[in-house]
Amino acid sequence: MTARVKICGLTRPAHVQAVAECGAAYAGFVFFAKSPRNVSIAQARDLALTLKPGVAKVGLVVNATNDELDAILAEVPLDMLQLHGKESPARVAEIRARYGLPVMKAVGVADAADLDQLAAYEAVADQILVDAKAPKGADLPGGNGLSFDWTLIADRKWSKPWMLAGGLTPENVALAIEKTGATQVDVSSGVEAAPGQKDDALVRAFVAAAAYS
């Protein structure tokens, strides 16, 4: 099974080019000041404009206000919004209706109890990102290089497209796909030489591993 790949946290033109060339389906740009992968609106606009057609441009935001989203979308030609904060199902629905863009909602998972919230978000989002839950007190809601127990979602049936994230690397992504049945996977820190600095060889290796899982 070939999984569609999202490379998130892109910050440099060369890395955007590598993502496009290796066959990734999604390119992610982070609008969150605490992240080492944060980009300005101007940077994201320039990076997005270099992408070839067919690669979906995803903007990751964390508890963004309408004013913040207005500013981003006025400049950056995004294809999807990824909500990675504590947005409620009602807020997800509001954003989707206001901007007319597909919305992906990230849900952090650490144990079986965290799965209960998935149904509410499935009802209002276009896609679900199932990610490892950030540790208490962490500055980042994602991109921490942590995984979760994949057997928690091994037999789950999904009503919407979903994406697996959390601690994925070129070395373990094939196993993760096998264990969960994921048809889409998301990676950020797992293909970096340093926080916020993508490694082109790791990006290519990850996409290749996801394709031959």
Side-chain angles (χ1 to χ4, degrees):
M1 177 176 65
T2 298
R4 289 161 57 85
V5 173
K6 174 173 171 280
I7 308 294
C8 197
L10 298 170
T11 59
R12 295 185 178 183
H15 300 154
V16 171
Q17 183 69 20
V19 165
E21 290 175 351
C22 75
Y26 303 86
F29 306 106
V30 175
F31 301 95
F32 184 54
K34 292 183 178 181
S35 172
R37 305 164 189 97
N38 181 57
V39 289
S40 69
I41 290 174
Q43 286 176 305
R45 179 193 62 227
D46 292 345
L47 292 171
L49 289 173
T50 68
L51 273 169
K52 67 179 183 181
V55 181
K57 300 174 288 293
V58 183
L60 185 158
V61 297
V62 179
N63 303 321
T65 65
N66 287 347
D67 286 346
E68 290 168 336
L69 292 171
D70 288 348
I72 292 168
L73 292 171
E75 298 291 337
V76 188
L78 295 176
D79 300 303
M80 178 180 289
L81 288 169
Q82 178 179 328
L83 309 183
H84 217 108
K86 296 181 179 179
E87 301 89 358
S88 67
R91 177 59 175 157
V92 174
E94 177 189 1
I95 290 173
R96 187 173 182 270
R98 178 181 173 91
Y99 296 103
L101 285 176
V103 172
M104 179 189 301
K105 178 65 180 89
V107 178
V109 173
D111 53 43
D114 294 319
L115 300 177
D116 294 342
Q117 60 186 317
L118 285 169
Y121 286 113
E122 279 184 272
V124 293
D126 296 278
Q127 297 200 38
I128 299 295
L129 179 76
V130 186
D131 197 1
K133 193 172 187 177
K136 289 184 178 180
D139 287 335
L140 304 179
N144 292 295
L146 302 175
S147 60
F148 65 96
D149 181 0
W150 297 323
T151 63
L152 291 171
I153 59 171
D155 298 318
R156 187 177 179 89
K157 303 300 181 183
W158 307 88
S159 64
K160 297 283 181 68
W162 70 283
M163 190 175 290
L164 179 67
L168 298 178
T169 67
E171 291 75 28
N172 69 11
V173 66
L175 178 61
I177 293 169
E178 178 186 343
K179 294 291 186 183
T180 65
T183 59
Q184 301 190 109
V185 289
D186 181 23
V187 66
S188 186
S189 61
V191 291
E192 290 181 341
Q197 303 301 320
K198 296 294 183 283
D199 183 298
D200 292 352
L202 291 176
V203 168
R204 290 192 294 270
F206 187 93
V207 174
Y212 290 97
S213 57

